[in-house]
């Protein structure tokens, strides 16, 4: 079993004739788009809409395949100059099709009775949701020329600033105990058994950020300024409104969830305060001990090889769905996963769905802890989601941001609940519960702080520029608001805005609340699975498949959930309280 992924299913290298053919062919596909525009006619909208979609399918397949290959290569070696150059070339070529695509969207938006036309063709019926949403988007679309300019300028604006943050953090060298570590490696030490190691790693991490902080601050300021500008041009009231609109999610749903979370924060604080006591802290939990193991027994420090991680995943997912475990077997056997941290590789973890080849690719920074297995479960949940949508037509394979974290977090819950349930030793059960509470606290308290921070950055960026020191102050305040007195206010993480890549996208703002959404939505789904058993699984698969062709609220309704009601979110949070209460009870003996 290799510990790096293979991209040969896309291309075998830059010398692959198919790579050269597709890079050159992309320009021809864009030329074909422009030629198609000359023949569009509202006198024969059936023919015109069919031509539009078929041309867009060809372009999407080619650009997605090329873009996936280049971005995946870059994620494991951000300093590869050839990859960077080819990505720039690809983006430049793709941007030349923006105006044609905008004109095609304009044609769709000008159709007087698009419903009538759709009903005349089985092919168009498959794209009914896409066509109707495109028509609705017309009220926020700018002129064809302006849309083209925005796309082209973004290459040297928002995308460039994003690449700067990625490059600086992925190549950052951290001096730790006479060694040089990558950022991912030093952050993994937050899970170490030794409190001195955790503290020293935390201090080394913070020290390492200082030299790059002002550069990354410029990246953040300029990305948020760009988003504010585009938001105003399109006529949205705020970047959050724009995000919700393109996420196909109602503000009422977000408000119901955030209100329930705000009310629930104190119960998470009770868990953190108790953990602080167990670790010997009197003034709240210091940041470097958020992920500290309780060190109850030697088993708490157990490390898992990659092979053992696979066996663990297969064992715990087997009772749920055989197609999921089969996919996991394929992911390990067929080199879908790049496991270990190394210099030049980006931090964190992600999954890239490649439905056009019925596969995915998963990047992790594996260190052998149980948490790393949970991370694998999470990313393989994304892969399972990708498997559910792979039979859609290619333009129907893009799910919205909130539901993007549903299958991944569902996986986390399945594996952790199974592990906790089968553990008979109270102390080992406590260790597993505490691990689950670590993750829950991240998607509730930490996501609340990130959401608050990003909201404040967008608002402040309207009238001022924020240097690194001010951004650090804003991050501290957001963390204090989210964690209250449960954390030591003298030991927070002021540089978290540098570390999280989610802030650095001009096209995807507020990639924070979807984690809370996905976590709580998944817990609600798990509760229904536990109640309905095997009968739920087919509904779950159908729901995942519908995520690319339905609004968020409609997807949830397929399994009997009304996301607009605060009561649903409170029910999901109540399942968290069960775990917290159990943790508090079990630790009375310690």
């Amino acid at each position: 079993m290799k510990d790096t992924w293979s991209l040969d299913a896309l291309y075998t290298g830059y010398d692959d004739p198919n790579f050269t053919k597709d890079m050159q062919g992309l320009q021809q596909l864009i030329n074909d788009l422009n030629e198609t525009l000359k023949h569009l006619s509202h006198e024969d909208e059936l023919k015109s809409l069919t031509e539009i979609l078929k041309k867009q399918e060809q372009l999407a397949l080619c650009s997605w395949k090329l873009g996936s290959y280049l971005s995946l290569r870059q994620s494991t070696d951000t300093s590869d100059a050839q990859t960077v150059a080819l990505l720039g070339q690809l983006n430049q070529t793709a941007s030349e099709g923006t105006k044609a695509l905008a004109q095609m969207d304009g044609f769709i938006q000008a159709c007087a009775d698009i419903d009538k036309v759709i009903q005349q063709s089985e092919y168009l019926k498959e794209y009914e949701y896409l066509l109707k949403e495109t028509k609705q988007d017309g009220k926020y679309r700018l002129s064809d020329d302006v849309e083209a300019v925005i796309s082209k300028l973004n290459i040297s604006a928002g995308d460039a600033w994003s690449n700067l943050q990625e490059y600086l953090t992925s190549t950052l060298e951290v001096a730790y105990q006479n060694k040089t570590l990558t950022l991912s490696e030093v952050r993994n030490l937050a899970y170490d058994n030794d409190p001195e190691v955790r503290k020293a790693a935390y201090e080394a991490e913070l020290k390492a950020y200082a030299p790059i902080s002002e550069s990354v601050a410029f990246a953040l300021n300029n990305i948020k300024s760009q988003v504010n500008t585009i938001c105003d041009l399109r006529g949205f009231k705020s970047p959050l409104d724009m995000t919700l609109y393109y996420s196909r999610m109602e503000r009422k749903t977000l408000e119901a969830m955030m209100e329930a979370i705000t009310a629930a924060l104190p119960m998470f604080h009770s868990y953190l305060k108790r953990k602080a006591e167990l670790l010997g802290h009197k003034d709240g939990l210091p940041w470097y001990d958020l992920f500290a193991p309780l060190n109850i027994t030697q088993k708490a420090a157990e490390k898992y090889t990659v092979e053992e991680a696979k066996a663990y995943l297969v064992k715990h997912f087997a009772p749920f769905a055989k197609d999921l475990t089969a996919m996991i077997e394929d992911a390990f056997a067929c080199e879908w996963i790049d496991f270990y941290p190394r210099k030049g590789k980006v931090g964190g973890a992600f999954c890239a769905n490649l439905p056009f080849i019925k596969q995915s690719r998963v990047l992790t920074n594996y260190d052998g802890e149980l948490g790393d297995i949970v991370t694998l479960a999470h990313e393989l949940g994304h892969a399972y989601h990708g498997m559910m949508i792979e039979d859609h037509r290619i333009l129907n394979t893009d799910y919205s941001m909130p539901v993007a974290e549903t299958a991944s977090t569902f996986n986390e819950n399945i594996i952790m609940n199974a592990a906790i349930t089968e553990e008979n030793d109270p102390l080992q059960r406590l260790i597993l519960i505490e691990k689950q509470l670590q993750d829950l606290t991240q998607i509730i308290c930490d996501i609340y702080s990130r959401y608050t921070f990003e909201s404040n950055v967008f608002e402040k960026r309207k009238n001022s520029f924020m240097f690194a020191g001010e951004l650090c102050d804003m991050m501290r305040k957001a963390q204090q608001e989210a964690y209250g007195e449960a954390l030591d206010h003298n030991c927070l993480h002021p540089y978290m805005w540098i570390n999280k890549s989610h802030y650095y996208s001009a096209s995807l703002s507020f990639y924070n609340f979807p984690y809370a959404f996905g976590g709580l939505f998944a817990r609600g789904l798990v509760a229904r699975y536990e109640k309905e058993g095997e009968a739920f699984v087919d509904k779950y698969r159908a729901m995942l498949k519908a995520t690319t062709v339905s609004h968020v609220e409609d997807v949830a309704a397929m399994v009997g959930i009304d996301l607009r009601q605060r009561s649903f979110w409170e029910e999901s949070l109540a399942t968290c309280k069960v775990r917290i209460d159990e943790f508090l009870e079990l630790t009375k003996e310690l």
Side-chain angles (χ1 to χ4, degrees), residues 104-115:
M104 288 182 170
D105 286 346
F107 181 88
I108 295 170
Q109 289 150 11
C111 291
D113 191 352
I114 199 166
D115 290 336

Side-chain angles (χ1 to χ4, degrees), residues 191-228:
Y191 299 90
D192 196 89
N193 282 322
D194 188 338
E196 293 304 318
V197 169
R198 297 193 298 269
K199 183 178 180 181
Y202 160 81
E203 291 171 347
E205 180 193 351
L206 294 195
K207 186 177 180 180
Y209 286 127
I212 67 170
S213 61
E214 296 299 354
S215 297
V216 181
F218 269 78
L220 184 61
N221 274 271
N222 285 300
I223 286 171
K224 298 312 183 191
S225 179
Q226 179 175 323
V227 174
N228 276 335

Side-chain angles (χ1 to χ4, degrees), residues 154-175:
N154 192 55
I155 297 171
S156 56
D159 285 352
W161 289 114
S162 177
N163 289 337
L164 176 65
Q165 182 271 345
E166 184 178 87
Y167 175 78
L168 289 174
T169 54
S170 65
T171 59
L172 185 64
E173 295 183 341
V174 183

Side-chain angles (χ1 to χ4, degrees), residues 198 268-286 289-290 292-294 296 430 434 485-488 583-590:
R198 297 193 298 269
F268 288 92
H269 298 168
S270 67
Y271 148 67
L272 291 169
K273 288 177 181 177
R274 180 60 178 143
K275 182 171 182 176
E277 293 173 1
L278 293 171
L279 295 174
H281 302 295
K282 297 180 179 179
D283 298 317
L285 196 66
D289 272 350
L290 267 173
L294 294 180
I296 298 169
L430 173 60
E434 203 278 321
E485 297 301 319
L487 290 192
D488 183 344
F583 172 84
L584 297 175
E585 185 64 30
L586 286 170
T587 56
K588 285 181 180 179
E589 303 283 332
L590 300 179

Side-chain angles (χ1 to χ4, degrees), residues 250-315:
E250 297 178 15
R251 180 180 273 270
K252 189 174 181 180
T253 293
L254 178 64
E255 290 173 346
M257 182 183 75
M258 295 307 294
E259 287 171 4
I261 287 175
T262 302
L265 288 175
M267 73 180 184
F268 288 92
H269 298 168
S270 67
Y271 148 67
L272 291 169
K273 288 177 181 177
R274 180 60 178 143
K275 182 171 182 176
E277 293 173 1
L278 293 171
L279 295 174
H281 302 295
K282 297 180 179 179
D283 298 317
L285 196 66
W287 191 275
Y288 58 80
D289 272 350
L290 267 173
F291 306 107
L294 294 180
N295 290 331
I296 298 169
T297 69
Q298 184 61 35
K299 188 176 178 181
E302 185 176 355
K303 293 275 189 171
Y304 298 83
T305 65
V306 165
E307 290 78 7
E308 289 169 337
K310 184 190 79 168
Y312 196 97
L313 292 169
V314 169
K315 173 186 174 182

Side-chain angles (χ1 to χ4, degrees), residues 169-185:
T169 54
S170 65
T171 59
L172 185 64
E173 295 183 341
V174 183
Y176 174 75
Q177 295 185 350
N178 300 317
K179 295 182 290 186
T180 299
L181 302 181
T182 65
L183 186 57
S184 294
E185 287 173 328

